[in-house]
Amino acid sequence: KRIIELVQARDAARRRKDYDLSDSMREELNSDYGVHLDDRLKLWWVHREGGGVPDMVSEIKGNGRWGAKKPWRQIPTTLESDACVNPDMVSSLLKQRDIAREEKDFRKADTLLEEARNAPGGGLTLKINDETRSWRVWTPEKPSIPTQFTKYNDEANVFDQCISIVSIHDPNKVDEVKNMLGKFPGKESIILEKLKSRYNLR
């Protein structure tokens, strides 16, 4: 009941253009109840183990650019932690999991997810984010941006640069930035510059 009340109150705040209150409610829904909101589809659902979205939502999104699967990518953490994992093996496991999920073989998908999570040595585990198609060695602190990240951004397209920056600095804002990029086509470079300024990446 509390979730429904918050969702409805947030919708009312957005209609009033009270975006600070709306963002606050979105964060409360996500952190306290594990609720994911998709403003474009006007849907919400509770996060599932391993991330991802319900099949119904995936079908609605379709296979266009918005819903298409992007390649899995690693978010660098520290040299010591990253040296404990084989990126090619993780990528292979996650690709196999994608196929298993498409074939609705969820038992196999869950097994592959666990294998990927436990791929690092030294007692480390991976944090895997289906929404941003990214993974990293889990650390209590948010990863800093190493020089490799800057190189990646220089080679990536502007859309991916925006998502990469937000996924590292404020993962809860990823969907918000995706929606913004979708609403303002042709303004990607401006949004990228604003993100760089906000997170002191200039």
Side-chain angles (χ1 to χ4, degrees):
K1 182 179 178 181
R2 175 60 176 162
I3 292 175
I4 295 175
E5 289 175 350
L6 278 171
V7 170
Q8 292 175 343
R10 179 176 176 271
D11 286 342
R14 294 181 77 241
R15 286 194 295 271
R16 297 194 306 269
K17 300 187 184 300
D18 188 347
Y19 297 117
D20 287 339
L21 178 59
S22 170
D23 288 346
S24 175
M25 290 179 176
R26 183 189 189 102
E27 291 177 8
E28 181 180 350
L29 283 162
N30 184 276
S31 61
D32 293 355
Y33 302 100
V35 169
H36 176 87
L37 292 149
D38 193 314
D39 290 323
R40 182 176 294 191
L41 294 180
K42 300 188 182 303
L43 294 174
W44 64 268
W45 60 91
V46 178
H47 287 299
R48 302 184 300 179
E49 178 67 21
V53 299
D55 292 337
M56 180 189 72
V57 178
S58 296
E59 290 172 4
I60 294 174
K61 284 188 173 184
N63 295 317
R65 189 187 84 165
W66 180 38
K69 285 186 173 65
K70 295 187 177 183
W72 285 97
R73 62 182 180 82
Q74 178 184 6
I75 297 176
T77 53
T78 65
L79 292 176
E80 294 80 5
S81 295
D82 292 344
C84 295
V85 63
N86 182 335
D88 292 334
M89 182 179 71
V90 174
S91 178
S92 176
L93 288 169
L94 293 176
K95 287 177 182 177
Q96 291 177 58
R97 175 175 172 258
D98 285 340
I99 295 172
R101 294 177 74 192
E102 288 172 1
E103 295 175 349
K104 301 190 183 301
D105 188 347
F106 300 115
R107 180 174 297 179
K108 181 178 180 180
D110 289 345
T111 298
L112 290 165
L113 177 63
E114 284 306 306
E115 287 185 40
R117 279 178 173 166
N118 297 310
L124 298 172
T125 59
L126 297 185
K127 182 173 182 179
I128 298 167
N129 191 320
D130 281 304
E131 294 178 18
T132 59
R133 304 281 291 175
S134 64
W135 60 269
R136 67 176 177 88
V137 177
W138 188 90
T139 54
E141 303 82 17
K142 289 184 179 181
S144 58
I145 299 179
T147 55
Q148 294 96 321
F149 180 78
T150 302
K151 181 179 179 182
Y152 168 82
N153 273 352
D154 289 340
E155 296 173 351
N157 64 45
V158 177
F159 183 94
D160 285 339
Q161 288 183 49
C162 293
I163 301 304
S164 297
I165 289 172
V166 179
S167 67
I168 286 180
H169 289 278
D170 196 353
N172 289 332
K173 296 288 187 181
V174 169
D175 287 323
E176 182 179 325
V177 172
K178 282 184 179 180
N179 288 335
M180 188 181 301
L181 289 165
K183 289 179 180 177
F184 300 103
K187 304 291 186 181
E188 293 89 349
S189 295
I190 296 174
I191 294 172
L192 175 61
E193 289 305 310
K194 289 184 178 295
L195 290 172
K196 285 183 176 180
S197 176
R198 175 181 297 178
Y199 299 117
N200 298 316
L201 301 179
R202 296 183 179 279

